[in-house]
Amino acid sequence: MKNAITRDEIIARVNRALIEEFELEPDSMSHEETMQGLGLDSLDYIDMIIVLENEFGFRLEDKSVISDIRSLNDVYDFIENIASRNENTV
Amino acid sequence: MRRRVAITGMGAVSPFGYGLTAMMDGLYSGRCPLSPIPANQKIEHVDCHVAGLVPPFDAKIPREIKRSMSPMSIFSWLAAKEALESASVHERKNVGACVGSTLGSGREIEAIFRELHSSGNLDQSRSMTFFKIMGHTVASNIAISLGLGGRTISPTSACATGLQAIGMAYEMIAFGRSEIMLAGGAEEFSFLASATFDKIGVASRETDPHKASQPFDERRIGVVCGEGAGIMCLEEMESAKSRGARILGEIKGFATLAAGNLAMLEAEPAEECMRMAIADAGMKPEDISYVNAHATGTRMGDIAEGKSIESIFGTKAPVSSLKSGLGHTLAASGSLELAACIEMARRNSLVGQPYGFMPDRECGHIRYAQSGEPLGGKAILKNSFALGGIYSSLVVTGSP
């Protein structure tokens, strides 16, 4: 079993993955920033799931759960929650 | 009542690069923009080695616009912006788009099937894949990214797409359905086009880019596929004049028809189509001072077109094909080459057959244009024909 992933590590990996996928400016990645503020819409959410699944090695069967995500902090919480349930995959 | 239709703007992305000026400078220089097909885009047993690829350039397109665009939509976006800017059209709510391509993005189609084949699923397929593959991807991308609000239609007819799109847009304006339209065609190089031409035995297998595309030349050996986008801004004449727009040219007549052979260009329907377009313009053959041929460099196709031109014009109108310079940009060819015709009229200087041209007598007794030859101040006839038995011809006048 891997060691538990830290929140800082989650933040770093989420940010790196989203910056690369969506050509975001690193300076724009403040934790409170909304997805809308980053210029991401509902279609981008579909791609965000794929990127996060690949980065953290999970597979989300029910994609609708991400509709509650509003900010980067929500993304970090979402990954932290998944990690706490299944440490083998992150 | 038919209204007059002006050309008020033009934009081009071609194997010579970004912009109409780059294309015209390249065509007049006689420089060859064709290049070897990159190894990663070659397919085993497909014997094509040369293509007319758009050279890389940094388009600086915002991600939210670019995300749904394959290369041909990017080419079209740039060409459409150039056309709108040259037309000085700023209010876009009533501007429509009539722009097509041979297929949706061939590269995306290839990618999605490769994924499906290798993994058995489409889990890694991105949300934008469909928007690049759909048949109206270019028209939709242009309309949304440029804020167009007029009718947006995507005609497709392979190599006749660009000219048919301009013809359709012309008719929409002429018969009062639209006031201003962006019209043309776009293409991105993909394995499918070159493999198709190779499969049916009409692709050029030459490895030397300088010898690969030689329309009407006795040494010609087939088609060289290319890519790009040509977009024109068409506008109702009185409206264009009243806002002080620069009138680059006028579309005078258009015709398109189908004939029975899927893959073989035939002289009789080509002649009929040209005669219909000339009649639609209210003209006679002697009113045409230059014929810009479709001629792609296939053995039989060039003979059929040459003979059909001979039947109408004899040796009176000079003829040339721009595909020795551009390659065959397929869906973009009609609109890119028509834009070049309008520029030739403006400069009163034709782009002729290339240096060292050796005319094939089998292509009929026609007169080939000399580079730099003046236009003669009358009308231009442009042909675009396509696999699938499609013929189209358009008559324009330019403004010196």
Side-chain angles (χ1 to χ4, degrees):
Chain A
M1 182 181 286
K2 292 180 186 174
N3 292 329
I5 188 169
T6 66
R7 185 161 178 99
D8 282 349
E9 192 181 342
I10 287 173
I11 291 169
R13 287 170 62 182
V14 165
N15 285 4
R16 189 178 61 231
L18 297 187
I19 285 168
E20 182 181 343
E21 177 72 15
F22 299 114
E23 301 175 17
L24 300 171
E25 290 296 328
D27 292 347
S28 69
M29 306 295 280
S30 76
H31 299 182
E32 291 73 31
E33 183 61 88
T34 62
M35 307 314 279
Q36 193 179 13
L38 291 169
L40 306 187
D41 64 13
S42 59
L43 289 167
D44 292 320
Y45 271 40
I46 296 166
D47 296 344
M48 182 174 72
I49 295 173
I50 298 171
V51 168
L52 296 176
E53 284 178 338
N54 291 345
E55 175 64 30
F56 293 99
F58 66 91
R59 174 150 173 73
L60 202 61
E61 292 301 334
D62 179 11
K63 316 284 189 199
S64 68
V65 297
I66 62 138
S67 61
D68 292 335
I69 290 177
R70 295 283 180 271
S71 67
L72 280 175
N73 256 333
D74 293 342
V75 179
Y76 309 142
D77 291 344
F78 172 73
I79 296 295
E80 202 164 35
N81 184 262
I82 287 185
S84 68
R85 284 190 278 127
N86 190 357
E87 289 182 2
N88 281 324
T89 58
V90 296
Chain B
M1 167 91 180
R2 189 193 307 205
R3 306 191 300 174
R4 293 175 66 191
V5 178
I7 299 166
T8 54
M10 301 192 290
V13 172
S14 75
F16 286 111
Y18 165 64
L20 187 65
T21 301
M23 180 173 78
M24 296 313 298
D25 289 350
L27 286 171
Y28 280 118
S29 74
R31 183 167 61 83
C32 175
L34 309 179
S35 57
I37 296 173
N40 63 2
Q41 292 191 45
K42 295 193 77 169
I43 295 177
E44 194 176 0
H45 306 311
V46 172
D47 206 6
C48 301
H49 308 282
V50 170
L53 306 176
V54 173
F57 57 91
D58 184 6
K60 292 191 171 54
I61 305 178
R63 184 200 72 91
E64 59 272 23
I65 290 176
K66 192 173 61 180
R67 65 179 180 164
S68 56
M69 292 180 166
S70 72
M72 64 184 170
S73 289
I74 293 174
F75 301 156
S76 300
W77 183 77
L78 290 163
K81 270 171 61 79
E82 186 184 10
L84 286 172
E85 283 162 15
S86 70
S88 300
V89 170
H90 306 296
E91 172 54 54
R92 297 170 182 174
K93 187 173 180 304
N94 293 322
V95 177
C98 186
V99 182
S101 53
T102 300
L103 297 166
S105 171
R107 294 181 197 179
E108 289 291 322
I109 294 169
E110 180 187 4
I112 197 168
F113 280 106
R114 188 186 295 132
E115 184 193 342
L116 184 61
H117 184 67
S118 64
S119 68
N121 61 58
L122 293 175
D123 291 355
Q124 294 299 315
S125 175
R126 295 297 201 263
S127 63
M128 290 297 130
T129 299
F130 172 75
F131 297 98
K132 297 175 184 173
I133 288 177
M134 63 188 189
H136 62 305
T137 182
V138 175
S140 164
N141 270 301
I142 287 178
I144 289 173
S145 62
L146 295 174
L148 310 186
R151 54 169 56 191
T152 293
I153 293 176
S154 184
T156 178
S157 55
C159 310
T161 300
L163 201 70
Q164 272 200 334
I166 290 170
M168 283 178 70
Y170 156 69
E171 290 178 348
M172 287 178 207
I173 296 170
F175 296 108
R177 308 304 297 180
S178 293
E179 296 303 310
I180 180 163
M181 296 288 294
L182 291 175
E187 191 74 40
E188 67 191 46
F189 182 79
S190 80
F191 70 103
L192 199 52
S194 55
T196 298
F197 284 115
D198 190 59
K199 186 71 80 177
I200 62 177
V202 295
S204 172
R205 295 181 165 183
E206 174 60 53
T207 55
D208 180 351
H210 296 87
K211 299 176 183 169
S213 182
Q214 297 181 304
F216 292 130
D217 192 298
E218 62 183 22
R219 297 161 295 180
R220 71 190 180 282
I221 51 172
V223 174
V224 171
C225 291
E227 61 182 4
I231 306 287
M232 285 190 162
C233 185
L234 307 185
E235 195 168 350
E236 193 276 319
M237 181 66 84
E238 293 312 312
S239 155
K241 283 182 176 170
S242 68
R243 72 175 182 87
R246 191 170 48 130
I247 310 299
L248 304 174
E250 180 176 359
I251 299 188
K252 306 294 285 188
F254 172 63
T256 186
L257 55 86
N261 197 300
L262 268 179
M264 185 77 82
L265 175 64
E266 294 174 327
E268 196 174 314
E271 180 183 339
E272 183 184 357
C273 191
M274 283 187 272
R275 288 192 186 279
M276 284 169 64
I278 294 166
D280 190 56
M283 294 183 179
K284 296 185 168 57
E286 52 267 34
D287 296 321
I288 302 295
S289 55
Y290 167 62
V291 178
N292 187 269
H294 175 69
T296 61
T298 67
R299 179 121 313 259
M300 301 310 293
D302 288 10
I303 290 173
E305 186 176 12
K307 286 187 170 170
S308 67
I309 291 169
E310 180 187 18
S311 296
I312 302 172
F313 300 102
T315 56
K316 289 191 177 120
V319 179
S320 66
S321 166
L322 301 181
K323 291 183 178 72
S324 55
L326 291 167
H328 188 0
T329 56
L330 309 179
S333 63
S335 49
L336 275 176
E337 293 165 12
L338 187 68
C341 289
I342 297 297
E343 269 297 288
M344 289 185 224
R346 189 178 71 78
R347 302 178 189 207
N348 196 25
S349 173
L350 296 178
V351 174
Q353 292 296 104
Y355 178 76
F357 171 60
M358 296 173 66
D360 180 1
R361 300 296 171 203
E362 278 196 76
C363 293
H365 189 45
I366 55 180
R367 183 167 84 74
Y368 294 101
Q370 302 293 314
S371 285
E373 178 177 343
L375 179 62
K378 293 187 282 185
I380 295 170
L381 176 71
K382 168 82 195 107
N383 288 333
S384 279
F385 308 137
L387 291 178
I390 304 298
Y391 297 75
S392 63
S393 299
L394 192 129
V395 177
V396 290
T397 53
S399 301

